[in-house]
Each structure stands twice: as C-alpha cells, then as structure tokens.
Amino acid sequence: MHIVIMGCGRVGSALAQTLEQQGHTVAVVDQDPTAFRRLGSGFGGRRVTGVGFDQDTLREAGIEEAGAFAAVSSGDNSNIIAARVAREMFGIENVAARIYDPRRAEVYQRLGIPTVATVRWTADQMLRRLLPAGAEPLWRDPTGGVQLAEVHASTAWVGQRISRLQDETGVRVAFVTRLGEAILPSSQTVLQEGDLVHVMMRTDDVDKVEAAFAKGPDEEGGH
C-alpha cells in the first residue's frame, strides 16, 4: 500500500520508517525541509516539502494512489483539515489525525475522522501505572455497548488459566501485556505476576467484571 504522512516530527518519521520496513511505499510531507533529516539516509520514500492540506502538495506525495493518510504534524487544526481533505477530496478511507486537545478529538471523532488524542492517551497510560486498580477503556464500539479495557487482576489470579478467568468473569481476553510485550493468549495460557490483562466486555458489566477480577477465582474451583 502507498501511504502519505503529513508531519516529519518524531512520530511521523518513526511511522514512516516502520511502514517502509513492512513493505509499504511512503511519502512524507512537511513544511520544513530540514525535518526530513529524521528519516535517515536509508529511507527510500518520497520527501515532499509543502503544506499537508494543499491539494497539489498531496498530489505530489501520491495521494491519488494512496490507501491511507496520517496527519501527525504539531498543529491540531492543520491535522484535521488535512485529514478531511484526504477523506473528502481524494476519497481516502483509512485516515487518522493526531490531536493534542482531547475535547477537540471527541468532536472530530463524531465527524468520522479517527483521531489519536496524544495528551489523553499519555495521561491514561500514566494513570494505569500509578493507579492500577479498576478498568480503563481503551476502545468502545460506536454504540458504546461494548468496550476494550485494561482491567487490574488480583494476584489471586496468578497461576490460573485464561479460560477460567473468562468463564468466571464473563469477559473475552483480547490480549495480555507481559514484560512489555503484547501476547495473544490461548485458553491454556496461565496468568503470571505482572501481566496486564486487556479484555472485551459489555459496558454495563464493568462494575461486575472489576469486582470479579479483584476478588480472585471462586473457591469451589470454577469451570
């Protein structure tokens, strides 16, 4: 796939390098030509100097052949304008914009532009490490009925299989972060100390699930 990235800061350059390593073709747009130094000499994609929401600049970057567009400059307004141009003028379906202001991010999300709210995401991640109890939503479906959340599991669950955790709490374990690495567990995977458990559950069941995770497995032996 060809992917156009607006913004060659730390996020944009890292994204460009990762996508190229995965076999995609990449074009990076930035107003400051010196920003392209972050890409390194090994980067084989296009470097386009210009404003990322200018249609001619986007055409030079290959937007008409692109399958995706990422707006990750330092300006919220520029990012959302560029994302809308990519979506509405060039018909790019896979579009994402980085937004610093979380209140704006919610508005743009409702307009159909997927956003990554940098400040809120970072704050949430810090809170999860400082205050690990409770469930922190990472994703909700559009109706709000189902969510992906990281739920703090009591140490009483250590040594228990994922299948038992699912049976007794009613969740589906999506993935587990272990020693900084995300793993997709099987029903036979055994929980270890320090595991961060990410589950899919009904939003109405959050309190019940939190209580079950905090309590530990049933003494009768579960399923």
Side-chain angles (χ1 to χ4, degrees):
M1 183 190 293
H2 181 59
I3 299 163
V4 178
I5 298 170
M6 182 185 92
C8 196
R10 285 173 293 183
V11 173
S13 57
L15 191 58
Q17 290 165 331
T18 300
L19 288 167
E20 189 172 67
Q21 287 164 9
Q22 292 179 356
H24 302 287
T25 61
V26 182
V28 183
V29 178
D30 201 288
Q31 295 182 69
D32 179 8
T34 64
F36 298 126
R37 293 174 187 163
R38 289 190 177 94
L39 294 169
S41 57
F43 179 71
R46 299 184 218 177
R47 299 167 173 84
V48 180
T49 303
V51 177
F53 48 81
D54 177 76
Q55 292 184 43
D56 290 336
T57 300
L58 289 172
R59 287 192 183 93
E60 187 181 345
I63 193 73
E64 290 167 322
E65 307 94 59
F69 177 80
V72 292
S73 78
S74 58
D76 283 7
N77 289 335
S78 297
N79 287 342
I80 201 62
I81 292 168
R84 293 192 69 175
V85 169
R87 167 72 60 79
E88 296 164 17
M89 305 296 289
F90 294 101
I92 307 299
E93 289 188 15
N94 298 320
V95 170
R98 178 174 70 169
I99 304 295
Y100 284 91
D101 184 342
R103 290 166 299 181
R104 284 184 182 175
E106 292 174 4
V107 172
Y108 296 135
Q109 195 84 33
R110 287 197 291 270
L111 289 174
I113 300 293
T115 58
V116 178
T118 308
V119 173
R120 172 169 289 174
W121 186 88
T122 304
D124 285 347
Q125 292 300 304
M126 290 298 292
L127 282 169
R128 298 306 300 145
R129 304 302 171 258
L130 297 171
L131 306 169
E136 185 65 34
L138 303 173
W139 173 88
R140 287 188 181 90
D141 81 297
T143 69
V146 175
Q147 67 180 44
L148 170 67
E150 181 186 311
V151 185
H152 179 66
S154 160
T155 53
W157 285 106
V158 172
Q160 300 294 330
R161 287 196 174 112
I162 291 287
S163 56
R164 184 173 181 185
L165 179 69
Q166 293 185 145
D167 287 345
E168 292 192 17
T169 63
V171 303
R172 289 292 174 267
V173 176
F175 65 99
V176 173
T177 304
R178 177 173 293 169
L179 300 174
E181 301 260 332
I183 61 170
L184 294 175
S186 72
S187 60
Q188 301 304 307
T189 299
V190 173
L191 285 167
Q192 297 182 7
E193 189 171 354
D195 282 354
L196 301 177
V197 185
H198 307 267
V199 307
M200 296 296 298
M201 60 183 166
R202 294 192 55 79
T203 301
D204 292 345
D205 294 339
V206 169
D207 290 345
K208 183 176 72 175
V209 169
E210 284 182 0
F213 269 64
K215 173 174 166 285
D218 288 340
E219 292 179 5
E220 291 81 4
H223 298 267

